[in-house]
Amino acid sequence: MKVTVKKQAAKKIKKGYPLIQTEDLKKSVTSNHWVTFVDETDQFLARGYLGKQNKGIGWVLTANDEPIDEAFFQKQFRTAKEKRRVYYQEEQTTAFRIVNGPGDHLGGLTIDLYENFAVFSWYNETLFGKKAEIIAAFQKIFPEVAGAYEKYRFGTGEVSNQLYGKKAPEPLLIKENNVSYAVYLDEGLMTGIFLDQKEVRGKLTQGLATGKKVLNMFSYTGAFSVAAAMGGATETTSVDLAKRSRLKTEEQFSINGLSSDQQKIYVMDTFAYFNYAKKKNLTFDLVILDPPSFARNKKKVFSVAKDYGSLIENSVDILSEKGMILASTNAENLSVTKFRQTIETSLINKGVSFECVQSFRLPSDYTVSKAYPEGNYLKVFLYQIEK
Ligand code: SAH
């Protein structure tokens, strides 16, 4: 089927922009099949598909006039695999992203490798409907993958299933910078580790945390805490509202042979913990802030845009004389400039001197296309603070 796009959209597509928005279409249409995007004069632009997801209503997959079939996916997968050659060679890290949606010209699908198991995430129903040819191509290019799971990031039904092959052990132990992490490949949408933070965890393990008292807010399974403890932190404190976080965090410490004496875990709201720490006059040398972009709990709605400043100000209150704040966000709609402004306005409000000593964006397994810079959603800044 041919889908006509408006003039502005045609310009964007010609520059390599892969995401199709509702307003790009000349006429509102839907299709479950591969489509050819043409301009208003019926000139060929690109091939791809329409599929509604959390953002946009479709993706361009190729600017070439080529069929989208199993051979096409084999070609995309081969290129994607080639790009991760360093990760395949590196023995200290056994989990990484092997296909990153639009960064690998496969908008709507990501695939992560955990040892010899793969996890597919489908972001819309149209691409999911093409699963048979995609899986067939994948198995040819990645024959070493023993089994796969899939996550559905569309619709309202179940979210996780086994896809093919062997079942993964539960937990499956992966390595990253020689630190072990326990992952569960078939427990809801999340596996226990966010692979996009590998460089930040690496920094913690390789010196940043040494000799420090570390506070890890929004700790989930405590991955940052474990990385810090393995890197010689004298003490870690992990704070997360979810009840599951306690056992999951204890498990991460235990599989790395770390005794839990110096590792504190609080199942608690972040802001409640700030109040508790202030009351008890606790101080920390490094505070890690990595909240979800948006979260609702019984009492209130947390949003990065509205609440990050307050996280920073509260962190300064419980920081030692010369402490550090590691501030992270995965909010795609918050620009780097806006995020830094939010942090620095709060630091100025608190009257401390500060210097941003390092920043991180997505690691290179999370490929980002130049034409689609918003795909580089991760922003992490490390601040040295002096009170
Ligand atoms: N930093 C983690 C990932 C955080 S995911 C890592 O590196 O692995 C977001 C976490 O924030 C979830 O585990 C969720 O339970 C927790 N959370 C959401 N709202 C919270 C709140 N108000 N206080 C504490 N934790 C919260």
Side-chain angles (χ1 to χ4, degrees):
M1 184 172 106
K2 272 197 217 172
V3 174
T4 308
V5 304
K6 295 179 192 161
K7 224 182 188 158
Q8 273 311 99
K11 262 197 204 156
K12 281 198 301 186
I13 291 175
K14 278 189 184 150
K15 285 191 187 145
Y17 193 78
L19 184 61
I20 307 292
Q21 309 275 13
T22 313
E23 61 274 16
D24 292 341
L25 304 190
K26 186 83 186 155
K27 227 175 49 202
S28 164
V29 284
T30 57
S31 164
N32 298 327
H33 299 292
W34 307 123
V35 300
T36 301
F37 296 106
V38 295
D39 69 11
E40 292 181 49
T41 66
D42 208 32
Q43 288 294 304
F44 174 89
L45 290 167
R47 305 209 71 215
Y49 68 92
L50 296 174
K52 203 169 154 8
Q53 61 172 66
N54 58 338
K55 59 186 170 206
I57 54 149
W59 292 99
V60 166
L61 298 183
T62 174
N64 301 330
D65 194 358
E66 58 185 329
I68 298 180
D69 52 15
E70 194 192 312
F72 171 83
F73 287 107
Q74 281 192 36
K75 184 169 60 124
Q76 307 296 86
F77 286 144
R78 212 175 290 122
T79 310
K81 194 173 190 181
E82 186 59 29
K83 282 191 208 161
R84 276 85 179 171
R85 207 203 296 226
V86 286
Y87 286 98
Y88 277 100
Q89 285 165 349
E90 226 264 79
E91 283 171 13
Q92 301 190 343
T93 298
T94 60
F96 50 94
R97 178 151 292 190
I98 50 179
V99 173
N100 192 37
D104 289 297
H105 304 286
L106 283 173
L109 172 66
T110 63
I111 309 174
D112 295 319
L113 187 71
Y114 293 86
E115 289 279 334
N116 54 338
F117 291 92
V119 175
F120 286 62
S121 295
W122 306 100
Y123 283 82
N124 63 71
E125 205 153 2
T126 308
L127 200 65
F128 179 67
K130 302 293 187 184
K131 174 170 145 172
E133 54 198 299
I134 295 174
I135 304 303
F138 181 82
Q139 289 181 309
K140 293 209 174 85
I141 306 301
F142 295 88
E144 69 281 9
V145 170
Y149 291 81
E150 58 183 344
K151 311 287 179 194
Y152 317 116
R153 292 185 177 269
F154 60 86
T156 50
E158 57 180 351
V159 295
S160 177
N161 250 324
Q162 205 205 351
L163 180 55
Y164 72 79
K166 279 200 188 139
K167 284 202 166 162
E170 290 191 331
L172 170 68
L173 301 189
I174 58 124
K175 265 196 313 182
E176 191 192 84
N177 307 305
N178 252 352
V179 178
S180 296
Y181 296 94
V183 299
Y184 293 80
L185 300 190
D186 201 11
E187 263 188 10
L189 284 176
M190 300 190 293
T191 59
I193 190 162
F194 289 102
L195 296 176
D196 54 0
Q197 295 277 17
K198 59 168 69 61
E199 290 177 355
V200 180
R201 284 187 293 267
K203 177 85 185 167
L204 288 163
T205 302
Q206 284 145 19
L208 175 62
T210 316
K212 292 196 170 87
K213 266 177 81 177
V214 177
L215 173 62
N216 179 13
M217 289 298 204
F218 307 94
S219 55
Y220 181 42
T221 61
F224 284 137
S225 309
V226 173
M230 290 298 279
T234 50
E235 192 185 302
T236 70
T237 300
S238 306
V239 180
D240 196 291
L241 197 55
K243 286 207 181 68
R244 61 165 187 233
S245 66
R246 180 184 298 279
L247 278 177
K248 297 264 185 202
T249 304
E250 283 170 356
E251 179 177 44
Q252 306 283 26
F253 283 117
S254 120
I255 62 166
N256 284 288
L258 291 163
S259 103
S260 44
D261 301 355
Q262 302 307 318
Q263 326 302 343
K264 301 197 173 99
I265 300 168
Y266 290 87
V267 176
M268 207 168 183
D269 170 73
T270 287
F271 290 98
Y273 184 81
F274 278 129
N275 291 336
Y276 168 81
K278 284 184 217 177
K279 224 167 45 204
K280 298 265 177 191
N281 289 320
L282 303 180
T283 57
F284 297 90
D285 306 311
L286 172 63
V287 177
I288 303 170
L289 301 169
D290 179 34
S293 311
F294 181 84
R296 196 187 295 277
N297 71 38
K298 277 173 234 138
K299 289 185 208 116
K300 53 180 186 281
V301 173
F302 173 90
S303 93
V304 163
K306 171 170 73 65
D307 297 310
Y308 217 105
S310 164
L311 288 178
I312 297 286
E313 296 190 16
N314 277 287
S315 300
V316 169
D317 290 340
I318 57 170
L319 212 56
S320 40
E321 282 307 287
K322 281 186 189 172
M324 295 183 113
I325 296 179
L326 186 64
S328 168
T329 181
N330 59 6
E332 195 165 312
N333 57 1
L334 186 69
S335 72
V336 172
T337 317
K338 187 80 210 302
F339 184 47
R340 281 198 66 164
Q341 267 170 5
T342 305
I343 298 169
E344 296 186 5
T345 304
S346 303
L347 293 174
I348 292 166
N349 284 345
K350 294 303 281 184
V352 293
S353 59
F354 59 87
E355 188 190 349
C356 180
V357 289
Q358 196 169 352
S359 67
F360 300 84
R361 302 302 304 275
L362 284 175
S364 62
D365 51 332
Y366 282 66
T367 45
V368 177
S369 116
K370 275 203 195 76
Y372 187 63
E374 59 265 51
N376 199 348
Y377 58 83
L378 185 71
K379 300 147 202 109
V380 186
F381 295 104
L382 177 63
Y383 281 88
Q384 174 71 61
I385 317 272
E386 208 171 327
K387 286 196 182 175

